[in-house]
Amino acid sequence: MASNRRILRSSASSSSKTPGIQPVQPIVSSPVTFTTPTIAPTKSIQIIPPGQKLPNITRKELKLLRQKQSKLAATSALTLEELPDVPNIQNALNSTLIFGQYEAGTAVCISPDGHLLTCSHCFGDDLKKFRKGIRRKWLLFYTGLAVLADCRVWDGDRDLALLDIVAIESPVPDIRQIPSFAHISLFEGNIKRNMEILCIGQPGRDDLESTSAKKTKYNLVEVSEGTFQGMVKGADPQDNSEIGTLMHDAWTYWGHSGAPLVSKSDGKLIGLHSSWDDQTAMRHGIPAIAIREFLEEYKQFMTD
Protein backbone atom coordinates (compact mmCIF):
# COMPACT_ATOMS: atom_id res chain seq x y z
CA MET A 1 0.00 0.00 0.00
CA ALA A 2 1.21 3.44 -0.86
CA SER A 3 0.64 4.91 2.59
CA ASN A 4 2.85 2.58 4.57
CA ARG A 5 6.54 3.17 4.98
CA ARG A 6 9.55 1.15 5.99
CA ILE A 7 13.18 2.25 5.82
CA LEU A 8 15.62 -0.59 5.18
CA ARG A 9 19.10 -0.10 6.57
CA SER A 10 20.60 -1.31 3.31
CA SER A 11 18.91 1.61 1.53
CA ALA A 12 20.48 4.30 3.71
CA SER A 13 22.66 6.61 1.68
CA SER A 14 26.18 7.36 2.79
CA SER A 15 26.35 10.49 0.65
CA SER A 16 24.68 12.56 3.36
CA LYS A 17 27.58 12.04 5.75
CA THR A 18 30.26 14.69 5.93
CA PRO A 19 33.63 13.30 4.69
CA GLY A 20 36.16 12.78 7.44
CA ILE A 21 33.61 13.09 10.26
CA GLN A 22 32.45 9.96 12.02
CA PRO A 23 28.75 10.01 13.01
CA VAL A 24 28.05 10.02 16.72
CA GLN A 25 26.66 6.64 17.81
CA PRO A 26 23.55 6.87 20.02
CA ILE A 27 23.78 5.61 23.58
CA VAL A 28 21.99 2.29 23.85
CA SER A 29 19.92 2.29 27.01
CA SER A 30 19.07 -1.00 28.67
CA PRO A 31 15.42 -2.12 28.64
CA VAL A 32 16.03 -3.43 32.16
CA THR A 33 17.34 -1.66 35.24
CA PHE A 34 18.05 -3.14 38.65
CA THR A 35 16.66 -1.24 41.62
CA THR A 36 16.37 -1.72 45.35
CA PRO A 37 12.66 -2.02 46.20
CA THR A 38 11.19 -0.01 49.05
CA ILE A 39 8.58 -2.72 49.68
CA ALA A 40 8.75 -6.49 49.31
CA PRO A 41 8.36 -7.55 45.63
CA THR A 42 5.23 -9.50 44.71
CA LYS A 43 7.16 -12.05 42.66
CA SER A 44 10.64 -13.46 42.23
CA ILE A 45 12.56 -13.42 38.94
CA GLN A 46 15.47 -15.82 38.56
CA ILE A 47 18.79 -14.20 37.61
CA ILE A 48 20.88 -16.49 35.38
CA PRO A 49 24.51 -15.35 35.05
CA PRO A 50 25.98 -15.48 31.52
CA GLY A 51 27.67 -18.81 30.87
CA GLN A 52 25.26 -20.84 32.94
CA LYS A 53 22.88 -23.34 31.32
CA LEU A 54 19.51 -21.92 30.32
CA PRO A 55 16.37 -23.86 31.30
CA ASN A 56 13.41 -24.66 29.05
CA ILE A 57 15.34 -24.70 25.79
CA THR A 58 16.72 -27.41 23.49
CA ARG A 59 20.23 -27.36 22.07
CA LYS A 60 18.89 -26.46 18.62
CA GLU A 61 16.76 -23.67 20.04
CA LEU A 62 19.68 -22.37 22.09
CA LYS A 63 21.85 -22.15 18.97
CA LEU A 64 19.22 -20.02 17.23
CA LEU A 65 18.72 -17.89 20.34
CA ARG A 66 22.45 -17.17 20.49
CA GLN A 67 22.53 -16.29 16.79
CA LYS A 68 19.69 -13.82 17.22
CA GLN A 69 21.21 -12.49 20.42
CA SER A 70 24.56 -11.83 18.76
CA LYS A 71 22.96 -10.10 15.78
CA LEU A 72 20.79 -7.90 17.97
CA ALA A 73 23.71 -6.86 20.17
CA ALA A 74 25.78 -5.98 17.10
CA THR A 75 23.04 -3.85 15.51
CA SER A 76 21.36 -2.28 18.56
CA ALA A 77 23.03 1.11 18.10
CA LEU A 78 22.01 1.21 14.44
CA THR A 79 18.46 0.20 15.33
CA LEU A 80 18.31 3.08 17.77
CA GLU A 81 19.90 5.52 15.34
CA GLU A 82 17.31 4.82 12.64
CA LEU A 83 14.23 5.28 14.81
CA PRO A 84 11.80 7.96 13.60
CA ASP A 85 12.16 11.21 15.53
CA VAL A 86 8.87 11.00 17.45
CA PRO A 87 7.98 11.18 21.17
CA ASN A 88 8.54 8.10 23.32
CA ILE A 89 9.54 5.85 20.42
CA GLN A 90 12.67 4.70 22.26
CA ASN A 91 10.53 3.55 25.17
CA ALA A 92 8.29 1.64 22.75
CA LEU A 93 11.39 -0.04 21.29
CA ASN A 94 12.73 -0.83 24.78
CA SER A 95 9.35 -2.40 25.62
CA THR A 96 9.29 -4.68 22.57
CA LEU A 97 10.59 -8.25 22.63
CA ILE A 98 11.02 -10.87 19.91
CA PHE A 99 10.66 -14.61 20.36
CA GLY A 100 13.87 -16.60 20.12
CA GLN A 101 12.08 -19.44 18.33
CA TYR A 102 12.30 -20.13 14.59
CA GLU A 103 8.63 -19.29 14.12
CA ALA A 104 9.42 -15.68 15.07
CA GLY A 105 6.70 -13.74 16.90
CA THR A 106 6.75 -10.50 18.89
CA ALA A 107 5.57 -9.32 22.31
CA VAL A 108 5.39 -6.09 24.29
CA CYS A 109 6.00 -5.36 27.97
CA ILE A 110 3.16 -3.58 29.76
CA SER A 111 4.42 -3.37 33.35
CA PRO A 112 7.71 -2.78 35.20
CA ASP A 113 7.25 -6.22 36.80
CA GLY A 114 7.67 -7.94 33.43
CA HIS A 115 4.14 -8.71 32.23
CA LEU A 116 4.01 -9.14 28.46
CA LEU A 117 1.28 -9.20 25.83
CA THR A 118 1.33 -11.16 22.60
CA CYS A 119 -1.12 -13.03 20.36
CA SER A 120 -2.52 -16.27 21.72
CA HIS A 121 -1.75 -18.03 18.43
CA CYS A 122 1.97 -17.57 19.18
CA PHE A 123 1.40 -20.31 21.77
CA GLY A 124 -1.06 -22.42 19.78
CA ASP A 125 -3.75 -21.90 17.17
CA ASP A 126 -6.37 -23.49 19.41
CA LEU A 127 -6.81 -24.52 23.04
CA LYS A 128 -5.82 -28.12 22.38
CA LYS A 129 -2.53 -27.09 20.79
CA PHE A 130 -1.88 -24.61 23.58
CA ARG A 131 -2.38 -27.25 26.26
CA LYS A 132 -0.02 -29.63 24.47
CA GLY A 133 2.52 -26.95 23.63
CA ILE A 134 5.39 -25.29 25.46
CA ARG A 135 4.25 -22.53 27.79
CA ARG A 136 7.68 -21.12 28.66
CA LYS A 137 9.63 -19.46 25.88
CA TRP A 138 12.76 -17.33 25.58
CA LEU A 139 12.47 -13.81 24.20
CA LEU A 140 14.98 -11.08 23.39
CA PHE A 141 14.99 -7.32 23.75
CA TYR A 142 16.46 -5.33 20.85
CA THR A 143 19.78 -5.16 22.75
CA GLY A 144 20.02 -8.97 22.83
CA LEU A 145 19.10 -9.28 26.50
CA ALA A 146 17.34 -12.63 27.01
CA VAL A 147 14.37 -13.37 29.28
CA LEU A 148 12.26 -16.46 29.90
CA ALA A 149 8.49 -15.87 29.97
CA ASP A 150 5.67 -18.08 31.16
CA CYS A 151 2.28 -17.93 29.42
CA ARG A 152 -0.19 -17.33 32.26
CA VAL A 153 -3.35 -16.62 30.23
CA TRP A 154 -4.39 -17.86 26.76
CA ASP A 155 -7.51 -16.23 25.26
CA GLY A 156 -8.27 -17.62 21.80
CA ASP A 157 -11.35 -15.45 21.28
CA ARG A 158 -9.49 -12.19 21.71
CA ASP A 159 -6.26 -13.75 20.31
CA LEU A 160 -4.38 -12.43 23.33
CA ALA A 161 -1.94 -14.05 25.74
CA LEU A 162 -0.53 -12.69 28.99
CA LEU A 163 3.04 -13.70 29.78
CA ASP A 164 5.11 -13.27 32.92
CA ILE A 165 8.90 -12.92 32.87
CA VAL A 166 10.27 -15.56 35.25
CA ALA A 167 14.00 -15.44 34.47
CA ILE A 168 16.57 -13.10 32.97
CA GLU A 169 20.08 -13.82 31.72
CA SER A 170 22.17 -11.12 33.35
CA PRO A 171 25.19 -10.59 35.58
CA VAL A 172 24.05 -11.01 39.16
CA PRO A 173 23.29 -7.59 40.69
CA ASP A 174 23.35 -6.66 44.35
CA ILE A 175 21.36 -9.33 46.20
CA ARG A 176 18.86 -6.69 47.31
CA GLN A 177 18.10 -5.47 43.80
CA ILE A 178 15.35 -6.64 41.45
CA PRO A 179 14.84 -6.06 37.71
CA SER A 180 12.49 -3.33 36.50
CA PHE A 181 11.44 -3.49 32.85
CA ALA A 182 10.72 -0.79 30.29
CA HIS A 183 7.01 -0.89 29.53
CA ILE A 184 4.34 0.80 27.48
CA SER A 185 0.94 2.22 28.44
CA LEU A 186 -2.37 1.86 26.64
CA PHE A 187 -3.50 4.78 24.52
CA GLU A 188 -6.22 6.87 26.15
CA GLY A 189 -8.92 8.61 24.16
CA ASN A 190 -10.49 8.09 20.74
CA ILE A 191 -8.47 6.46 18.00
CA LYS A 192 -9.37 8.25 14.79
CA ARG A 193 -9.11 6.91 11.26
CA ASN A 194 -5.82 7.82 9.55
CA MET A 195 -4.09 8.34 12.90
CA GLU A 196 -0.37 7.88 12.27
CA ILE A 197 1.07 4.78 13.90
CA LEU A 198 4.28 2.79 14.19
CA CYS A 199 4.66 -0.98 14.26
CA ILE A 200 7.69 -2.65 15.89
CA GLY A 201 8.08 -6.34 15.13
CA GLN A 202 10.10 -9.33 14.03
CA PRO A 203 9.74 -10.43 10.39
CA GLY A 204 10.07 -14.17 9.80
CA ARG A 205 13.17 -15.67 8.19
CA ASP A 206 11.47 -17.60 5.36
CA ASP A 207 10.72 -15.68 2.16
CA LEU A 208 7.09 -16.59 1.53
CA GLU A 209 7.03 -14.55 -1.67
CA SER A 210 9.74 -16.64 -3.33
CA THR A 211 9.02 -19.74 -5.43
CA SER A 212 12.19 -21.35 -4.06
CA ALA A 213 13.52 -21.85 -0.53
CA LYS A 214 14.98 -18.45 0.32
CA LYS A 215 15.63 -16.46 3.46
CA THR A 216 14.61 -12.85 3.92
CA LYS A 217 17.14 -10.09 4.51
CA TYR A 218 15.01 -8.19 6.98
CA ASN A 219 16.40 -7.04 10.29
CA LEU A 220 15.37 -8.95 13.40
CA VAL A 221 13.54 -5.82 14.57
CA GLU A 222 11.83 -3.66 11.96
CA VAL A 223 10.04 -0.38 12.63
CA SER A 224 7.40 0.58 10.05
CA GLU A 225 5.11 3.56 9.71
CA GLY A 226 1.47 3.60 8.68
CA THR A 227 -2.01 4.66 9.69
CA PHE A 228 -4.97 3.30 11.61
CA GLN A 229 -7.61 2.32 9.04
CA GLY A 230 -10.62 1.87 11.30
CA MET A 231 -12.41 -1.22 12.61
CA VAL A 232 -13.95 -4.12 10.74
CA LYS A 233 -17.56 -3.06 10.12
CA GLY A 234 -20.09 -4.84 12.31
CA ALA A 235 -17.48 -6.95 14.10
CA ASP A 236 -17.30 -7.47 17.86
CA PRO A 237 -13.94 -5.91 18.89
CA GLN A 238 -13.62 -8.61 21.57
CA ASP A 239 -13.70 -11.38 18.93
CA ASN A 240 -10.40 -11.51 17.07
CA SER A 241 -10.35 -15.29 16.65
CA GLU A 242 -10.65 -15.33 12.84
CA ILE A 243 -8.99 -12.02 12.00
CA GLY A 244 -8.11 -8.92 13.99
CA THR A 245 -10.89 -6.33 14.13
CA LEU A 246 -8.48 -3.36 14.04
CA MET A 247 -7.26 -2.42 10.55
CA HIS A 248 -3.96 -0.70 9.72
CA ASP A 249 -1.55 -0.31 6.83
CA ALA A 250 1.89 -0.33 8.50
CA TRP A 251 4.23 -2.83 6.83
CA THR A 252 4.37 -6.26 8.45
CA TYR A 253 5.48 -9.76 7.53
CA TRP A 254 4.81 -13.19 8.99
CA GLY A 255 6.42 -13.22 12.42
CA HIS A 256 5.01 -9.81 13.30
CA SER A 257 2.18 -11.40 15.29
CA GLY A 258 2.04 -9.68 18.69
CA ALA A 259 3.94 -6.60 17.46
CA PRO A 260 2.90 -3.40 19.25
CA LEU A 261 1.04 -0.79 17.22
CA VAL A 262 1.76 2.56 18.82
CA SER A 263 0.51 6.07 18.31
CA LYS A 264 3.10 8.16 16.52
CA SER A 265 2.10 11.21 18.56
CA ASP A 266 2.88 9.81 22.02
CA GLY A 267 4.18 6.24 21.70
CA LYS A 268 1.17 4.71 23.50
CA LEU A 269 -0.22 1.29 22.62
CA ILE A 270 -3.30 1.27 20.35
CA GLY A 271 -3.23 -2.46 19.59
CA LEU A 272 -1.23 -5.53 18.58
CA HIS A 273 -0.71 -6.66 15.01
CA SER A 274 -2.18 -10.13 14.50
CA SER A 275 -3.04 -10.96 10.91
CA TRP A 276 -3.64 -9.80 7.38
CA ASP A 277 -6.31 -10.24 4.72
CA ASP A 278 -4.81 -11.92 1.67
CA GLN A 279 -7.72 -10.67 -0.46
CA THR A 280 -7.30 -6.97 0.31
CA ALA A 281 -3.73 -6.90 1.72
CA MET A 282 -5.11 -4.99 4.71
CA ARG A 283 -3.23 -5.59 7.96
CA HIS A 284 -5.29 -6.44 11.03
CA GLY A 285 -4.75 -6.29 14.75
CA ILE A 286 -6.26 -6.55 18.20
CA PRO A 287 -7.63 -3.16 19.35
CA ALA A 288 -6.90 -1.44 22.64
CA ILE A 289 -10.50 -1.92 23.77
CA ALA A 290 -10.03 -5.71 23.64
CA ILE A 291 -6.68 -5.44 25.43
CA ARG A 292 -8.22 -3.30 28.17
CA GLU A 293 -11.08 -5.77 28.76
CA PHE A 294 -8.63 -8.68 28.69
CA LEU A 295 -6.40 -7.09 31.34
CA GLU A 296 -9.40 -6.28 33.51
CA GLU A 297 -10.73 -9.83 33.26
CA TYR A 298 -7.41 -11.43 34.12
CA LYS A 299 -5.95 -8.77 36.43
CA GLN A 300 -5.42 -11.36 39.20
CA PHE A 301 -2.67 -12.92 37.09
CA MET A 302 -0.74 -9.65 37.27
CA THR A 303 -0.78 -9.55 41.06
CA ASP A 304 -0.19 -13.22 41.97
Short mmCIF file of all heavy atoms in Angstrom, two decimals, residues 255-295:
data_model
loop_
_atom_site.label_atom_id
_atom_site.label_comp_id
_atom_site.label_asym_id
_atom_site.label_seq_id
_atom_site.Cartn_x
_atom_site.Cartn_y
_atom_site.Cartn_z
N GLY A 255 5.50 -13.38 11.29
CA GLY A 255 6.42 -13.22 12.42
C GLY A 255 6.13 -11.96 13.21
O GLY A 255 6.57 -11.82 14.35
N HIS A 256 5.37 -11.05 12.60
CA HIS A 256 5.01 -9.81 13.30
C HIS A 256 3.89 -10.01 14.32
O HIS A 256 3.55 -9.06 15.05
CB HIS A 256 4.57 -8.73 12.30
CG HIS A 256 5.67 -7.81 11.88
ND1 HIS A 256 6.64 -8.17 10.97
CD2 HIS A 256 5.97 -6.53 12.24
CE1 HIS A 256 7.46 -7.14 10.77
NE2 HIS A 256 7.08 -6.14 11.54
N SER A 257 3.29 -11.18 14.36
CA SER A 257 2.18 -11.40 15.29
C SER A 257 2.58 -11.00 16.71
O SER A 257 3.61 -11.44 17.23
CB SER A 257 1.75 -12.86 15.28
OG SER A 257 1.16 -13.21 14.06
N GLY A 258 1.75 -10.17 17.34
CA GLY A 258 2.04 -9.68 18.69
C GLY A 258 2.79 -8.37 18.70
O GLY A 258 3.04 -7.81 19.78
N ALA A 259 3.16 -7.85 17.53
CA ALA A 259 3.94 -6.60 17.46
C ALA A 259 3.10 -5.43 17.93
O ALA A 259 1.94 -5.28 17.53
CB ALA A 259 4.42 -6.36 16.04
N PRO A 260 3.66 -4.56 18.79
CA PRO A 260 2.90 -3.40 19.25
C PRO A 260 2.65 -2.40 18.12
O PRO A 260 3.53 -2.12 17.31
CB PRO A 260 3.81 -2.79 20.32
CG PRO A 260 5.19 -3.26 19.96
CD PRO A 260 5.00 -4.62 19.37
N LEU A 261 1.43 -1.91 18.09
CA LEU A 261 1.04 -0.79 17.22
C LEU A 261 0.91 0.42 18.13
O LEU A 261 0.09 0.42 19.05
CB LEU A 261 -0.29 -1.09 16.53
CG LEU A 261 -0.33 -2.34 15.65
CD1 LEU A 261 -1.77 -2.64 15.22
CD2 LEU A 261 0.57 -2.19 14.43
N VAL A 262 1.73 1.43 17.91
CA VAL A 262 1.76 2.56 18.82
C VAL A 262 1.43 3.86 18.10
O VAL A 262 1.71 4.02 16.91
CB VAL A 262 3.13 2.69 19.53
CG1 VAL A 262 3.47 1.41 20.27
CG2 VAL A 262 4.24 3.03 18.55
N SER A 263 0.82 4.75 18.84
CA SER A 263 0.51 6.07 18.31
C SER A 263 1.81 6.83 18.04
O SER A 263 2.69 6.89 18.89
CB SER A 263 -0.35 6.84 19.32
OG SER A 263 -0.38 8.21 19.01
N LYS A 264 1.91 7.41 16.87
CA LYS A 264 3.10 8.16 16.52
C LYS A 264 3.20 9.45 17.32
O LYS A 264 4.30 9.98 17.52
CB LYS A 264 3.11 8.47 15.02
CG LYS A 264 4.44 8.96 14.48
CD LYS A 264 4.40 9.10 12.96
CE LYS A 264 5.73 9.59 12.42
NZ LYS A 264 5.70 9.72 10.93
N SER A 265 2.09 9.93 17.85
CA SER A 265 2.10 11.21 18.56
C SER A 265 2.64 11.09 19.98
O SER A 265 3.24 12.03 20.51
CB SER A 265 0.69 11.80 18.60
OG SER A 265 -0.18 10.97 19.36
N ASP A 266 2.43 9.92 20.63
CA ASP A 266 2.88 9.81 22.02
C ASP A 266 3.47 8.45 22.39
O ASP A 266 3.84 8.22 23.54
CB ASP A 266 1.73 10.14 22.98
CG ASP A 266 0.55 9.17 22.84
OD1 ASP A 266 0.66 8.18 22.11
OD2 ASP A 266 -0.49 9.43 23.48
N GLY A 267 3.57 7.53 21.43
CA GLY A 267 4.18 6.24 21.70
C GLY A 267 3.35 5.31 22.55
O GLY A 267 3.86 4.31 23.07
N LYS A 268 2.05 5.58 22.70
CA LYS A 268 1.17 4.71 23.50
C LYS A 268 0.61 3.58 22.64
O LYS A 268 0.47 3.71 21.42
CB LYS A 268 0.03 5.53 24.11
CG LYS A 268 0.48 6.64 25.06
CD LYS A 268 1.10 6.08 26.32
CE LYS A 268 1.55 7.17 27.29
NZ LYS A 268 0.42 7.94 27.82
N LEU A 269 0.22 2.51 23.29
CA LEU A 269 -0.22 1.29 22.62
C LEU A 269 -1.68 1.40 22.17
O LEU A 269 -2.58 1.59 22.99
CB LEU A 269 -0.06 0.10 23.57
CG LEU A 269 -0.29 -1.30 23.00
CD1 LEU A 269 0.80 -1.67 22.01
CD2 LEU A 269 -0.33 -2.33 24.14
N ILE A 270 -1.92 1.26 20.85
CA ILE A 270 -3.30 1.27 20.35
C ILE A 270 -3.76 -0.14 19.98
O ILE A 270 -4.95 -0.36 19.73
CB ILE A 270 -3.47 2.20 19.13
CG1 ILE A 270 -2.82 1.60 17.88
CG2 ILE A 270 -2.93 3.59 19.41
CD1 ILE A 270 -3.40 2.15 16.59
N GLY A 271 -2.84 -1.10 19.93
CA GLY A 271 -3.23 -2.46 19.59
C GLY A 271 -2.02 -3.33 19.32
O GLY A 271 -0.86 -2.89 19.44
N LEU A 272 -2.27 -4.59 18.98
CA LEU A 272 -1.23 -5.53 18.58
C LEU A 272 -1.52 -6.01 17.17
O LEU A 272 -2.67 -6.36 16.85
CB LEU A 272 -1.20 -6.75 19.51
CG LEU A 272 -0.92 -6.58 20.99
CD1 LEU A 272 -0.86 -7.96 21.66
CD2 LEU A 272 0.37 -5.82 21.23
N HIS A 273 -0.51 -6.07 16.33
CA HIS A 273 -0.71 -6.66 15.01
C HIS A 273 -0.95 -8.16 15.17
O HIS A 273 -0.31 -8.82 15.99
CB HIS A 273 0.51 -6.44 14.12
CG HIS A 273 0.42 -7.19 12.83
ND1 HIS A 273 -0.37 -6.78 11.78
CD2 HIS A 273 0.98 -8.38 12.45
CE1 HIS A 273 -0.27 -7.66 10.80
NE2 HIS A 273 0.53 -8.63 11.18
N SER A 274 -1.87 -8.71 14.36
CA SER A 274 -2.18 -10.13 14.50
C SER A 274 -2.31 -10.89 13.19
O SER A 274 -2.05 -12.10 13.16
CB SER A 274 -3.50 -10.30 15.28
OG SER A 274 -4.58 -9.77 14.52
N SER A 275 -2.69 -10.21 12.11
CA SER A 275 -3.04 -10.96 10.91
C SER A 275 -3.14 -10.02 9.71
O SER A 275 -2.97 -8.81 9.85
CB SER A 275 -4.39 -11.67 11.12
OG SER A 275 -5.36 -10.78 11.68
N TRP A 276 -3.39 -10.64 8.55
CA TRP A 276 -3.64 -9.80 7.38
C TRP A 276 -4.62 -10.51 6.45
O TRP A 276 -4.76 -11.73 6.50
CB TRP A 276 -2.35 -9.43 6.66
CG TRP A 276 -1.78 -10.49 5.75
CD1 TRP A 276 -1.36 -11.74 6.10
CD2 TRP A 276 -1.59 -10.39 4.34
NE1 TRP A 276 -0.91 -12.43 5.00
CE2 TRP A 276 -1.03 -11.62 3.90
CE3 TRP A 276 -1.80 -9.38 3.41
CZ2 TRP A 276 -0.70 -11.87 2.57
CZ3 TRP A 276 -1.47 -9.63 2.07
CH2 TRP A 276 -0.93 -10.86 1.67
N ASP A 277 -5.31 -9.72 5.65
CA ASP A 277 -6.31 -10.24 4.72
C ASP A 277 -5.65 -10.42 3.36
O ASP A 277 -5.26 -9.44 2.72
CB ASP A 277 -7.48 -9.24 4.63
CG ASP A 277 -8.64 -9.77 3.81
OD1 ASP A 277 -8.42 -10.59 2.91
OD2 ASP A 277 -9.79 -9.36 4.08
N ASP A 278 -5.50 -11.68 2.93
CA ASP A 278 -4.81 -11.92 1.67
C ASP A 278 -5.62 -11.52 0.45
O ASP A 278 -5.11 -11.52 -0.68
CB ASP A 278 -4.37 -13.39 1.56
CG ASP A 278 -5.55 -14.35 1.64
OD1 ASP A 278 -6.70 -13.89 1.71
OD2 ASP A 278 -5.30 -15.57 1.62
N GLN A 279 -6.89 -11.15 0.65
CA GLN A 279 -7.72 -10.67 -0.46
C GLN A 279 -7.55 -9.17 -0.68
O GLN A 279 -7.58 -8.69 -1.82
CB GLN A 279 -9.19 -10.99 -0.19
CG GLN A 279 -9.50 -12.48 -0.05
CD GLN A 279 -9.18 -13.27 -1.29
OE1 GLN A 279 -9.56 -12.88 -2.41
NE2 GLN A 279 -8.49 -14.40 -1.12
N THR A 280 -7.38 -8.43 0.41
CA THR A 280 -7.30 -6.97 0.31
C THR A 280 -5.91 -6.43 0.65
O THR A 280 -5.64 -5.26 0.41
CB THR A 280 -8.32 -6.32 1.26
OG1 THR A 280 -7.95 -6.62 2.62
CG2 THR A 280 -9.73 -6.83 0.98
N ALA A 281 -5.07 -7.29 1.25
CA ALA A 281 -3.73 -6.90 1.72
C ALA A 281 -3.79 -5.95 2.92
O ALA A 281 -2.78 -5.36 3.30
CB ALA A 281 -2.88 -6.29 0.61
N MET A 282 -4.98 -5.82 3.52
CA MET A 282 -5.11 -4.99 4.71
C MET A 282 -4.52 -5.73 5.91
O MET A 282 -4.76 -6.92 6.10
CB MET A 282 -6.58 -4.66 4.98
CG MET A 282 -6.81 -3.82 6.24
SD MET A 282 -6.14 -2.14 6.10
CE MET A 282 -7.36 -1.41 4.97
N ARG A 283 -3.74 -5.01 6.72
CA ARG A 283 -3.23 -5.59 7.96
C ARG A 283 -4.30 -5.45 9.05
O ARG A 283 -5.06 -4.49 9.06
CB ARG A 283 -1.96 -4.88 8.40
CG ARG A 283 -0.67 -5.47 7.86
CD ARG A 283 -0.47 -5.28 6.38
NE ARG A 283 0.87 -5.76 6.00
CZ ARG A 283 1.35 -5.71 4.77
NH1 ARG A 283 0.62 -5.21 3.79
NH2 ARG A 283 2.57 -6.17 4.50
N HIS A 284 -4.30 -6.43 9.94
CA HIS A 284 -5.29 -6.44 11.03
C HIS A 284 -4.61 -6.61 12.38
O HIS A 284 -3.49 -7.12 12.47
CB HIS A 284 -6.30 -7.56 10.81
CG HIS A 284 -7.24 -7.32 9.67
ND1 HIS A 284 -8.55 -6.96 9.85
CD2 HIS A 284 -7.05 -7.37 8.32
CE1 HIS A 284 -9.14 -6.80 8.67
NE2 HIS A 284 -8.24 -7.04 7.72
N GLY A 285 -5.31 -6.18 13.42
CA GLY A 285 -4.75 -6.29 14.75
C GLY A 285 -5.83 -6.36 15.82
O GLY A 285 -7.02 -6.30 15.53
N ILE A 286 -5.37 -6.47 17.05
CA ILE A 286 -6.26 -6.55 18.20
C ILE A 286 -6.33 -5.15 18.81
O ILE A 286 -5.29 -4.58 19.18
CB ILE A 286 -5.73 -7.56 19.23
CG1 ILE A 286 -5.57 -8.92 18.56
CG2 ILE A 286 -6.63 -7.65 20.44
CD1 ILE A 286 -4.51 -9.78 19.17
N PRO A 287 -7.52 -4.56 18.90
CA PRO A 287 -7.63 -3.16 19.35
C PRO A 287 -7.43 -2.99 20.84
O PRO A 287 -7.58 -3.94 21.63
CB PRO A 287 -9.06 -2.79 18.93
CG PRO A 287 -9.81 -4.08 19.01
CD PRO A 287 -8.83 -5.14 18.56
N ALA A 288 -7.14 -1.76 21.23
CA ALA A 288 -6.90 -1.44 22.64
C ALA A 288 -8.10 -1.77 23.51
O ALA A 288 -7.94 -2.16 24.67
CB ALA A 288 -6.53 0.04 22.77
N ILE A 289 -9.31 -1.64 22.97
CA ILE A 289 -10.50 -1.92 23.77
C ILE A 289 -10.54 -3.40 24.18
O ILE A 289 -10.96 -3.73 25.30
CB ILE A 289 -11.78 -1.52 23.00
CG1 ILE A 289 -13.01 -1.66 23.90
CG2 ILE A 289 -11.94 -2.32 21.72
CD1 ILE A 289 -14.29 -1.13 23.27
N ALA A 290 -10.09 -4.28 23.31
CA ALA A 290 -10.03 -5.71 23.64
C ALA A 290 -8.92 -5.97 24.65
O ALA A 290 -9.08 -6.78 25.57
CB ALA A 290 -9.82 -6.54 22.38
N ILE A 291 -7.80 -5.29 24.49
CA ILE A 291 -6.68 -5.44 25.43
C ILE A 291 -7.11 -4.98 26.83
O ILE A 291 -6.82 -5.64 27.83
CB ILE A 291 -5.46 -4.65 24.95
CG1 ILE A 291 -4.92 -5.25 23.64
CG2 ILE A 291 -4.36 -4.63 26.01
CD1 ILE A 291 -3.80 -4.45 23.00
N ARG A 292 -7.80 -3.85 26.88
CA ARG A 292 -8.22 -3.30 28.17
C ARG A 292 -9.19 -4.25 28.90
O ARG A 292 -9.05 -4.50 30.10
CB ARG A 292 -8.87 -1.93 27.96
CG ARG A 292 -9.15 -1.18 29.24
CD ARG A 292 -9.59 0.24 28.97
NE ARG A 292 -8.45 1.10 28.63
CZ ARG A 292 -8.20 1.57 27.40
NH1 ARG A 292 -8.99 1.26 26.40
NH2 ARG A 292 -7.17 2.34 27.18
N GLU A 293 -10.14 -4.83 28.17
CA GLU A 293 -11.08 -5.77 28.76
C GLU A 293 -10.36 -7.06 29.19
O GLU A 293 -10.68 -7.64 30.23
CB GLU A 293 -12.19 -6.10 27.77
CG GLU A 293 -13.17 -4.96 27.53
CD GLU A 293 -14.00 -4.64 28.77
OE1 GLU A 293 -14.36 -5.58 29.51
OE2 GLU A 293 -14.26 -3.45 29.01
N PHE A 294 -9.42 -7.49 28.38
CA PHE A 294 -8.63 -8.68 28.69
C PHE A 294 -7.86 -8.50 29.99
O PHE A 294 -7.87 -9.36 30.87
CB PHE A 294 -7.67 -8.94 27.52
CG PHE A 294 -6.64 -10.02 27.75
CD1 PHE A 294 -6.96 -11.36 27.59
CD2 PHE A 294 -5.34 -9.68 28.10
CE1 PHE A 294 -6.00 -12.35 27.78
CE2 PHE A 294 -4.37 -10.65 28.29
CZ PHE A 294 -4.71 -11.99 28.14
N LEU A 295 -7.19 -7.36 30.14
CA LEU A 295 -6.40 -7.09 31.34
C LEU A 295 -7.29 -6.95 32.58
O LEU A 295 -6.91 -7.35 33.67
CB LEU A 295 -5.56 -5.83 31.15
CG LEU A 295 -4.46 -5.93 30.08
CD1 LEU A 295 -3.74 -4.60 29.92
CD2 LEU A 295 -3.46 -7.03 30.43
#
